[in-house]
Amino acid sequence: MSGATGVRVTARGWGMLLVGALLAAVAAALQSLTTARIAAVVLAIPVVALLWALVSSAFASRRGLRRTLRPRGWQVDVGGSVELTPTGAALPPWSSLRERVPATLRRRGLGPYSYAVLPSQRGRHVLGPAVLVRSDPWAIVWWRTPIGDVADVLVWPRTEHVDDAVVARALEASAPRSHGLPQRTLEASAPRSHGLPQRTLEDLTVREYRRGDDLHRVHWRSTARHGELMVRHDEPTTTRVIDVLLLLGDERDDAAEWAVSAAASMAVALLRGGYTVRVVTVADGRLVDVTTTTVGDALDLFALAEPAAEHAADALRSVQRSTSAGVVAVLDRPAASLDASIAAGGALRQSTALVVDPVDPDNALVGLLQHGGWVVGGCEGRGSIAEAWLALTSVEVR
């Protein structure tokens, strides 16, 4: 892109114009030809510089710009960087490259063609347009020329490490404990004394064999461990798929951001544990439902999460009707209007929810979800995310 956005005179240029004007006045008063010549030279320099700028901008070579972002995904409070590489004609002398960056990215310079960022806010941010700032050799005038296009970049929410043991307990916490299972099966699934479950992530979606089950679905490792036939309780097409539901309230505050981070942290833990995650939330004003095995894709959705508003009930029904193995939900100050959906839909075999309410951690919907078969815990939306999930999954299940 070429074409100057405007030529401006620098402080030095204005100073020379002022000095030239004063010299011209003195020359006129004293009738001094020498002083007049000096004044003419001083005034001519800014004029020549201005003409040089106009000609240079009119005949400027076309240039482009390539941005290299490191790392691939930026995250709140995690440093990143941008390297700007001009393409096309080489940059002219007496020029510099600058780029417009939102204040929320907290930019600092690294060099003439690169800068570092430390994002403070998740979501979509716009970089650019970049501008080529040019000057004449005497720095009398300067002008800007746009170069390249703008670029959208997503900033992911903060995430905390959630231990595999906590993930395992979150998935098995609400599994029915009284369906005619032999006592030895209940004892085998109980946590060890030091808090780590005996079952691994691979064994969480199994149940006892029932007449009519396809023998191809027998989980032989669990069968050997329990001493009886165990099969995967979900259909083969949805094995190891877990829904992660995030519903944000109307408030856009620290508690809401904590809720986003809590859901994102659990999704990352599930993905790294070998699960496929189905993210259900509201983003860009609509209900989104995306199944992924990639951490980056999941975090992209959480980066764009926004208040659920009228889509909350539809999102809840989406996971209630899901064929996935279970659901892990984070509900930020859920509206009372969800009562009917919760009562009508019930829960999946494995349904765990964290209700965030900084004013009332014992939100009324906590009891309603528990009555519907969910394992639920309330929290104030601050502090350690890992400890909040641990406290929820440590609740005794009756």
Side-chain angles (χ1 to χ4, degrees):
M1 185 180 296
S2 61
T5 60
V7 178
R8 300 182 182 183
V9 179
T10 65
R12 178 181 296 178
W14 286 115
M16 294 190 71
L17 289 173
L18 179 60
V19 170
L22 290 174
L23 288 173
V26 171
L30 298 178
Q31 296 295 310
S32 172
L33 182 59
T34 301
T35 304
R37 289 173 177 171
I38 295 174
V41 171
V42 173
L43 290 172
I45 293 176
V47 174
V48 171
L50 180 60
L51 292 174
W52 187 84
L54 294 175
V55 172
S56 297
S57 61
F59 293 95
S61 301
R62 190 174 185 85
R63 298 178 180 87
L65 183 72
R66 181 174 66 252
R67 294 180 184 86
T68 303
L69 277 60
R70 297 186 178 90
R72 177 262 180 190
W74 290 352
Q75 195 165 20
V76 172
D77 290 338
V78 177
S81 65
V82 178
E83 182 177 346
L84 304 175
T85 305
T87 60
L91 294 186
W94 310 297
S95 65
S96 61
L97 196 59
R98 301 178 185 176
E99 178 157 68
R100 296 174 183 173
V101 178
T104 52
L105 293 182
R106 295 184 288 188
R107 166 185 172 161
R108 64 180 179 85
L110 290 179
Y113 303 129
S114 62
Y115 58 90
V117 295
L118 186 62
S120 62
Q121 182 178 311
R122 69 176 174 89
R124 182 181 284 111
H125 301 266
V126 178
L127 301 180
V131 291
L132 182 64
V133 181
R134 299 187 59 185
S135 173
D136 63 273
W138 307 282
I140 302 297
V141 296
W142 65 273
W143 67 99
R144 298 180 299 177
T145 303
I147 177 174
D149 299 318
V150 298
D152 287 342
V153 59
L154 286 180
V155 174
W156 296 339
R158 298 182 185 90
T159 55
E160 289 186 21
H161 174 70
V162 179
D163 191 83
D164 282 354
V166 177
V167 175
R169 295 186 69 171
L171 294 181
E172 72 177 346
S174 56
R177 302 298 179 97
S178 56
H179 289 278
L181 294 177
Q183 184 62 30
R184 65 176 180 274
T185 302
L186 295 176
E187 292 172 352
S189 62
R192 296 177 182 173
S193 59
H194 53 69
L196 293 178
Q198 289 183 349
R199 294 167 67 187
T200 65
L201 290 176
E202 190 176 72
D203 299 330
L204 292 176
T205 54
V206 297
R207 60 167 171 79
E208 72 281 4
Y209 174 82
R210 298 171 186 166
R211 177 178 291 184
D213 284 336
D214 186 352
L215 290 178
H216 291 291
R217 293 169 57 195
V218 172
H219 193 276
W220 295 109
R221 182 181 301 176
S222 294
T223 296
R225 179 175 301 156
H226 295 294
E228 63 180 65
L229 284 178
M230 303 293 290
V231 298
R232 297 188 182 278
H233 69 73
D234 53 331
E235 293 299 323
T237 57
T238 60
T239 299
R240 299 177 66 81
V241 178
I242 303 296
D243 291 347
V244 177
L245 170 67
L246 171 64
L247 294 182
L248 293 179
D250 295 331
E251 299 292 332
R252 300 196 179 193
D253 53 14
D254 291 343
E257 293 307 307
W258 189 95
V260 175
S261 294
S265 298
M266 183 57 80
V268 170
L270 287 165
L271 288 165
R272 290 176 177 168
Y275 280 88
T276 296
V277 167
R278 176 174 170 259
V279 178
V280 181
T281 190
V282 175
D284 289 335
R286 61 186 180 87
L287 178 63
V288 295
D289 168 0
V290 176
T291 301
T292 182
T293 58
T294 305
V295 169
D297 290 344
L299 291 179
D300 282 349
L301 294 172
F302 290 118
L304 298 173
E306 56 190 27
E310 69 273 12
H311 299 290
D314 291 336
L316 184 61
R317 282 193 292 269
S318 176
V319 299
Q320 287 172 331
R321 298 169 180 172
S322 173
T323 58
S324 299
V327 56
V328 176
V330 178
L331 310 177
D332 171 38
R333 285 157 283 193
S337 59
L338 291 179
D339 289 8
S341 298
I342 294 171
L348 297 171
R349 179 178 175 86
Q350 295 163 324
S351 303
T352 304
L354 194 60
V355 176
V356 178
D357 193 334
V359 177
D360 180 19
D362 297 324
N363 189 291
L365 288 183
V366 171
L368 188 59
L369 283 167
Q370 290 173 335
H371 182 73
W374 297 60
V375 170
V376 188
C379 67
E380 296 180 352
R382 61 184 181 183
S384 170
I385 291 173
E387 290 181 4
W389 282 114
L390 180 62
L392 168 61
T393 59
S394 298
V395 175
E396 182 180 355
V397 182
R398 293 184 174 86

